[in-house]
Amino acid sequence: MERMEKSELLKALEDYDARDLEIALRAADANRRARTGELYFLHHLFEEQFDWGAAAEKGEIEITLPINLLVMNPGKMVHGGVLALLCDNAMGIASHARAMRDGVTVELTVRYHKPARGTKLRAVGRVVSAGSQVNSTQCEIYDDEGQLVTSASGTFYHKKPR
């Protein structure tokens, strides 16, 4: 798609219904927030919620994710890639809180136990072993009824400060 002027974009949006426009607005807001350095696009688009302070204090992070059409596959369950993303985020934030510096995922293993359905998911990520540069982590994702739907393990590398 070639770059359009704002007036052309507004004209093109007239053909969409309110739900479509709500998603477009959410995507625009997620893009703006990501550009300003507030985490990244998908975090904002999917409306993940968590508390940084609790991660540092407890040594684990809890992220909630609303279940809506943006995260579902055609089978009316949460897409496996979204579940993997949620695990990676929970473990990455827990690892960052332990290391107190940025890191990257080195390894991610995800296990799917049952379809994820309902209104929201709760992911709990924690560091199980911390080294000077590498942390091993675990995550579990639970549905509205508290049933385990996905579990994961991951390894995160944190560059030593200079």
Side-chain angles (χ1 to χ4, degrees):
M1 177 185 268
E2 73 180 60
R3 196 165 176 97
M4 298 171 73
E5 295 295 320
K6 187 174 182 178
S7 60
E8 294 173 301
L9 289 167
L10 292 172
K11 177 77 174 144
L13 291 174
E14 290 176 359
D15 293 334
Y16 292 93
D17 68 17
R19 178 68 181 135
D20 293 332
L21 293 174
E22 181 183 320
I23 292 170
L25 184 59
R26 185 186 302 175
D29 183 62
N31 189 58
R32 181 180 59 206
R33 293 174 75 181
R35 279 196 329 263
T36 63
E38 286 186 57
L39 297 174
Y40 58 97
F41 178 79
L42 290 175
H43 162 76
H44 298 296
L45 183 67
F46 293 154
E47 299 181 318
E48 292 177 338
Q49 300 294 313
F50 63 89
D51 179 354
W52 279 107
E57 183 181 313
K58 292 174 32 180
E60 68 178 36
I61 185 73
E62 192 169 300
I63 299 176
T64 58
L65 178 76
I67 296 176
N68 56 46
L69 289 175
L70 290 176
V71 300
M72 294 175 75
N73 67 20
K76 303 293 187 214
M77 64 188 87
V78 178
H79 189 283
V82 172
L83 294 167
L85 170 83
L86 187 56
C87 287
D88 190 42
N89 289 347
M91 293 184 297
I93 292 167
S95 188
H96 180 275
R98 175 68 66 90
M100 295 308 294
R101 56 189 188 274
D102 290 340
V104 296
T105 308
V106 175
E107 174 191 33
L108 175 66
T109 302
V110 181
R111 291 164 294 285
Y112 303 99
H113 304 286
K114 64 176 276 200
R117 295 188 171 100
T119 61
K120 71 177 180 177
L121 297 173
R122 182 175 60 90
V124 180
R126 72 188 65 75
V127 175
V128 294
S129 175
S132 63
Q133 290 181 277
V134 176
N135 289 342
S136 296
T137 60
Q138 291 179 339
C139 179
E140 294 87 30
I141 298 178
Y142 301 93
D143 64 14
D144 290 344
E145 298 172 2
Q147 293 189 20
L148 181 68
V149 297
T150 306
S151 60
S153 58
T155 306
F156 292 82
Y157 170 78
H158 299 273
K159 190 173 182 180
K160 284 186 178 180
R162 291 182 187 234

